[in-house]
Amino acid sequence: MTTVAKRDPADSARIKAIEEKLLANPEMAKLIDELGTSTTDANDLVRGLLQASINRGLNAEMDAHLGYQHGDRNSKTAAGQNNSRNGSYPKRVDSNYGPVDVSVPRDRNGSFLPAMVPKGSRRLTDVDDMIISLYAGGMTVRDIQHHMITSMGVDISHETISAVTETVLDEVMMWQNRQLDDFYPVIFLDALRIKVRDGGRVVNKSAYLAIGVDMDGIKHILGIWLAKEEGASFWAHVCANLASRGVQDVFIVCCDGLKGLPEAVEATWPDSMVQTCVVHLIRAANRWVAYGDRKAVSAALKKVYTAPDEATAKLALDEFAASELGVKYPQSVKVWRDAWDRFVPFLQFPPMARRVIYTTNSIESMNNELRKATRNRVQFTNDDSAIKTLWLMMCNIEDKRAAKRAKQAKGKSRTSGRLIEGARVTNWKQAINQMAVAYPDRFNTYL
């Protein structure tokens, strides 16, 4: 069933009044009858109406700026206005209906700044929005150029399209440096590999995303960081960035065993814990296991991460190591033993809290969506381009998810803006209660 958005009654009334005025004009009604015979004619009609309305609107803007209408000298004198009109200049801007020629009025003081067609703009904003939307959907600059000329008849150079997408960089930087909460009970970290041109060469880099869960259980994307070589210095930079933006404490950081992260976290937030993702451990343990044995190995390892305490988990791992499968695949045992110190914090929590921190799937799902969107891109031109593109893609993904949540909630979405608020963690109330009871000294300050 298709849901049709309800239009505001005031908007409907205004549109109805405009429609009646147009049809009441005999010349306009005749023009509509003559031109409304084909798609091309209809497009020309809309473009003509758009052009006329913009020109009229620009003149109205100038009237409001000066405080009197064109040719009304008495009002000019009464207003004590020394400024006056100073002719106009022609300008062509692109639109969804093709090029539109407008006449932009000028004033003698040079203080008039038109809002309908801002200075320096070569396109109406809906075209810019479409370019950014297509770019966020994963299309390359050349793809967008081809799409615009074939579907809309608007020929825009790839340099112009690049310039349009560059306008979001300021917004990206504001988002990347925005103030964060004092405390996050859980932060998830994960990465995806991308190719970036760096110093005349195309190199593989990791784009790391951090998702923080706030006290209400809402997931927030905290930032994007690019790293060619991961290590203690890189993670020290990430932790310092989060701390400088207001994060004073983190209860637990869940990741895939990233090198150098535990030391950086403990140096920045001494009371925090670093938890290795259980799903990543299972995958790593199965990496060198024959396909036919993977189910059996996973079933045996399940006894380890579902154990009620560390002693029982260690006993289960020893039993697996001594079994036929453990002897056959010693590397699987080694994976768990090497990660043991970063796995055992997980065993301290009750079942509902474990479900929240056992895996980084919440961030991996975002990365999977990003991988789909970046398939068309062989490489990114530089680090800024990579971060800008990934940010736009995340906006696109989050917008779709927010729309889906709103539909499921019958229009009552908690989302308040792009990348500001995500979905709530399942069963969060029970999980936060269990964590707060187990570690009262860590949570009482923030409850």
Side-chain angles (χ1 to χ4, degrees), residues 218-436:
I218 304 299
K219 293 182 285 188
H220 304 258
I221 300 177
L222 305 182
I224 313 170
W225 298 270
L226 291 188
K228 185 177 179 181
E229 295 179 0
E230 177 199 341
S233 60
F234 167 70
W235 287 115
H237 163 72
V238 171
C239 292
N241 178 271
L242 293 174
S244 67
R245 291 162 58 198
V247 182
Q248 298 178 10
D249 195 9
V250 179
F251 179 52
I252 191 163
V253 178
C254 184
C255 61
D256 61 352
L258 302 168
K259 179 183 177 183
L261 177 61
E263 294 77 12
V265 169
E266 289 162 1
T268 310
W269 305 294
D271 297 327
S272 300
M273 289 184 285
V274 178
Q275 169 68 49
T276 298
C277 170
V278 174
V279 173
H280 277 86
L281 283 175
I282 296 170
R283 289 177 187 165
N286 277 303
R287 185 177 181 185
W288 307 112
V289 174
Y291 182 79
D293 290 333
R294 287 184 180 178
K295 282 189 178 180
V297 170
S298 297
L301 292 174
K302 186 176 182 180
K303 297 177 182 179
V304 179
Y305 61 84
T306 57
D309 52 47
E310 183 180 353
T312 308
K314 191 174 186 306
L315 182 61
L317 183 60
D318 291 340
E319 288 178 356
F320 172 68
S323 68
E324 183 180 348
L325 284 172
V327 173
K328 186 177 180 180
Y329 302 111
Q331 183 63 27
S332 298
V333 179
K334 186 177 184 300
V335 165
W336 281 80
R337 284 183 173 161
D338 289 347
W340 193 256
D341 290 343
R342 297 300 172 187
F343 160 70
V344 290
F346 167 81
L347 300 174
Q348 303 173 34
F349 298 98
M352 201 58 68
R354 287 189 185 188
R355 291 183 184 180
V356 173
I357 63 174
Y358 85 101
T359 178
T360 58
N361 277 354
S362 60
I363 196 169
E364 285 190 69
S365 64
M366 171 65 75
N367 282 342
N368 286 335
E369 292 287 338
L370 291 174
R371 288 186 187 97
K372 292 177 185 176
T374 56
R375 281 176 184 169
N376 291 337
R377 298 177 183 275
V378 178
Q379 65 188 40
F380 294 97
T381 53
N382 51 49
D383 286 3
D384 283 346
S385 173
I387 291 177
K388 171 193 70 177
T389 306
L390 292 173
W391 182 82
L392 282 169
M393 289 176 176
M394 286 190 296
C395 290
N396 197 38
I397 293 166
E398 284 296 307
D399 286 346
K400 289 178 181 177
R401 290 179 175 180
K404 184 177 180 180
R405 290 196 300 271
K407 185 176 181 181
Q408 292 172 344
K410 297 181 180 179
K412 298 178 180 179
S413 174
R414 287 173 54 88
T415 303
S416 58
R418 293 190 304 185
L419 298 177
I420 300 300
E421 186 176 294
R424 184 189 296 274
V425 173
T426 306
N427 298 319
W428 175 251
K429 293 296 185 183
Q430 291 174 271
I432 192 71
N433 272 281
Q434 290 179 355
M435 287 188 279

Side-chain angles (χ1 to χ4, degrees), residues 12 20 35 76 78 121 162 209 246 276 299 327 342 405:
S12 298
E20 289 175 352
L35 293 180
K76 175 184 177 181
S121 65
S162 296
L209 268 65
T276 298
V327 173
R342 297 300 172 187
R405 290 196 300 271

Side-chain angles (χ1 to χ4, degrees), residues 21-37:
K21 287 181 180 179
L22 287 174
L23 294 177
N25 186 328
E27 293 184 3
M28 181 62 68
K30 183 179 179 181
L31 180 62
I32 292 173
D33 290 338
E34 290 176 352
L35 293 180
T37 56

Side-chain angles (χ1 to χ4, degrees), residues 2-205:
T2 303
T3 303
V4 180
K6 293 183 178 180
R7 176 174 286 165
D8 186 278
D11 287 341
S12 298
R14 284 193 295 270
I15 293 171
K16 184 68 175 176
I18 293 171
E19 181 183 350
E20 289 175 352
K21 287 181 180 179
L22 287 174
L23 294 177
N25 186 328
E27 293 184 3
M28 181 62 68
K30 183 179 179 181
L31 180 62
I32 292 173
D33 290 338
E34 290 176 352
L35 293 180
T37 56
S38 71
T39 304
T40 302
D41 290 341
N43 185 81
D44 290 341
L45 170 64
V46 175
R47 187 172 58 181
L49 291 173
L50 181 63
Q51 182 170 301
S53 63
I54 289 175
N55 282 322
R56 189 175 180 86
L58 288 171
N59 283 309
E61 281 190 58
M62 179 61 82
D63 290 343
H65 176 68
L66 296 176
Y68 63 92
Q69 294 184 352
H70 184 258
D72 192 349
R73 298 183 181 276
N74 294 330
S75 296
K76 175 184 177 181
T77 303
Q81 178 63 270
N82 294 323
N83 197 9
S84 61
R85 293 175 180 267
N86 188 29
S88 62
Y89 61 92
K91 185 172 185 176
R92 171 167 287 191
V93 291
D94 290 320
S95 75
N96 288 352
Y97 305 97
V100 174
D101 294 313
V102 296
S103 181
V104 183
R106 290 183 294 206
D107 63 333
R108 292 196 178 277
N109 291 347
S111 57
F112 176 57
L113 298 173
M116 294 189 75
V117 185
K119 286 188 175 181
S121 65
R122 293 296 173 187
R123 296 156 307 282
L124 299 181
T125 55
D126 53 353
V127 177
D128 284 10
D129 292 342
M130 179 173 289
I131 290 172
I132 292 174
S133 177
L134 293 172
Y135 194 82
M139 292 180 69
T140 64
V141 171
R142 301 286 182 180
D143 291 338
I144 295 172
Q145 183 183 28
H146 177 71
H147 173 79
M148 298 292 283
I149 194 169
T150 54
S151 64
M152 298 169 52
V154 178
D155 188 7
I156 303 177
S157 68
H158 67 273
E159 291 86 2
T160 302
I161 295 172
S162 296
V164 170
T165 61
E166 287 297 320
T167 60
V168 304
L169 269 178
D170 289 342
E171 193 176 352
V172 175
M173 291 301 103
M174 287 178 61
W175 171 81
Q176 186 82 331
N177 295 295
R178 75 194 188 281
Q179 193 71 11
L180 301 175
D181 291 351
D182 295 345
F183 176 67
Y184 288 93
V186 186
I187 286 181
F188 299 100
L189 290 169
D190 198 19
L192 70 156
R193 300 288 284 174
I194 58 175
K195 293 184 181 295
V196 182
R197 182 167 289 279
D198 188 355
R201 296 169 51 241
V202 177
V203 298
N204 288 318
K205 290 191 177 184

